Amino acid sequence: MVRLIASDLDGTLLKDGSQELNPELFDMIMKLKEKGIHFAAASGRHFQSIRDLFFPIKDEISYITENGSLTLHNGAIITKGTIERTLGQEIIKSIQAKEGCNVMLSTEQGLFVEDKDARFLDFLTNTMKYEYQVTDNILAIPYDYLKIAVCNFDGTDAFADHFHSLFSSRIGVVTSGNIWVDFIAPNANKGSSLLALLDHLGITREECIAFGDQFNDIEMLQVAGKGYAMTTCAKGVESYADAQIDSVEEILKKLLL
């Protein structure tokens, strides 16, 4: 019996670069809830961005945000992971020094970026629909670091290996979409976040299914009783899943039968 569904967003529920969810999804999630099946949105995105996407049912679901650094249910924080400040500042400086790369810092107090690349700010505002704050010195932000993200419009192949070689021995470094690489708080990932949520809700792993398409989804796919990778997933992700599918909605519809 399925009691919880956890799904990634970009590349999974949001396909082909879309920034709006299929409106039918909201109705399906509510009907699933009536059947005793809870839904959790699991993403590398900041909480506010995810909440906005699910606005019609924003208070009816749980949130696995910042690639697992922050887990919320009914407005309460279930888990929180932070990046040690000295390491975080080293990462930020390395991003600033890499040509074509833009840094975004996630904190509980919001997202912070620097006003150095008009294209990046336009992308965040008009494509991603993010709410963020601009600073002339991101290193001076005093809040806890939940996640550090680097964006390069040339694609992850152009820079992911560089940052992986520099930092993967000290922190999780994962691709999160086609142009993003995320630095995740130690011991935080979508899988550990999902485990904490399952424990909080009294649901077993066998009663959970999960959907994803990128390497930041692997732990979540492994934790779930059944993990689904999208047919469009990053090469290799499918080996961590039980099956591949074209759309999340097709599985949700089967659960509603």
Side-chain angles (χ1 to χ4, degrees):
M1 176 183 175
V2 175
R3 295 180 59 201
L4 188 138
I5 298 163
S7 180
D8 171 56
L9 298 184
D10 295 283
T12 303
L13 282 176
L14 295 169
K15 302 184 72 174
D16 301 320
S18 173
Q19 296 302 315
E20 293 185 2
L21 294 167
N22 180 351
E24 294 181 2
L25 180 66
F26 305 138
D27 185 53
M28 282 191 280
I29 289 173
M30 293 308 298
K31 287 181 178 178
L32 286 165
K33 189 169 185 177
E34 291 174 5
K35 292 172 66 74
I37 303 173
H38 188 63
F39 184 87
S43 175
R45 294 183 180 224
H46 190 266
F47 168 64
Q48 188 60 54
S49 172
I50 306 172
R51 199 169 188 266
D52 289 346
L53 283 169
F54 285 89
F55 189 80
I57 56 169
K58 64 184 187 302
D59 297 322
E60 305 294 337
I61 67 173
S62 298
Y63 297 88
I64 293 172
T65 76
E66 310 291 7
N67 278 326
S69 288
L70 197 65
T71 314
L72 302 104
H73 177 72
N74 286 344
I77 295 175
I78 306 301
T79 67
K80 175 184 172 181
T82 59
I83 299 172
E84 192 274 323
R85 190 171 186 84
T86 300
L87 174 58
Q89 297 219 332
E90 183 182 346
I91 292 168
I92 290 171
K93 290 175 183 177
S94 73
I95 296 171
Q96 293 171 327
K98 181 71 171 171
E99 185 176 357
C101 289
N102 292 281
V103 62
M104 182 168 68
L105 174 63
S106 295
T107 74
E108 279 188 75
Q109 289 75 20
L111 298 174
F112 293 88
V113 298
E114 293 185 323
D115 189 9
K116 294 182 178 179
D117 186 332
R119 181 186 179 188
F120 181 54
L121 298 183
D122 179 74
F123 173 72
L124 293 180
T125 302
N126 297 310
T127 300
M128 300 300 293
K129 310 295 184 184
Y130 278 176
E131 294 181 13
Y132 59 89
Q133 300 178 56
V134 177
T135 174
D136 58 1
N137 183 10
I138 203 166
L139 293 168
I141 300 302
Y143 309 122
D144 288 343
Y145 295 178
L146 296 179
K147 188 191 74 177
I148 300 168
V150 52
C151 174
N152 187 312
F153 293 109
D154 291 332
T156 55
D157 289 346
F159 68 102
D161 288 346
H162 171 75
F163 291 112
H164 194 273
S165 65
L166 288 176
F167 296 108
S168 62
S169 64
R170 289 182 284 167
I171 192 172
V173 185
V174 296
T175 56
S176 182
N178 297 324
I179 61 174
W180 294 93
V181 164
D182 289 347
F183 299 86
I184 307 171
N187 301 317
N189 56 62
K190 290 185 182 181
S192 60
S193 184
L194 178 58
L195 275 174
L197 180 61
L198 288 170
D199 182 65
H200 183 76
L201 297 176
I203 297 173
T204 67
R205 293 170 62 169
E206 292 72 26
E207 295 173 314
C208 171
I209 62 175
F211 304 90
D213 77 309
Q214 286 288 336
F215 285 96
N216 62 336
D217 298 314
I218 287 174
E219 292 87 353
M220 180 173 70
L221 295 176
Q222 293 176 308
V223 163
K226 190 160 189 178
Y228 294 93
M230 308 306 293
T231 53
T232 53
C233 70
K235 186 177 180 180
V237 173
E238 73 280 357
S239 64
Y240 296 92
D242 298 294
Q244 283 188 273
I245 56 168
D246 293 321
S247 77
V248 175
E249 287 87 345
E250 69 183 59
I251 302 299
L252 301 189
K253 289 176 181 177
K254 290 179 181 179
L255 292 173
L256 287 171
L257 293 176

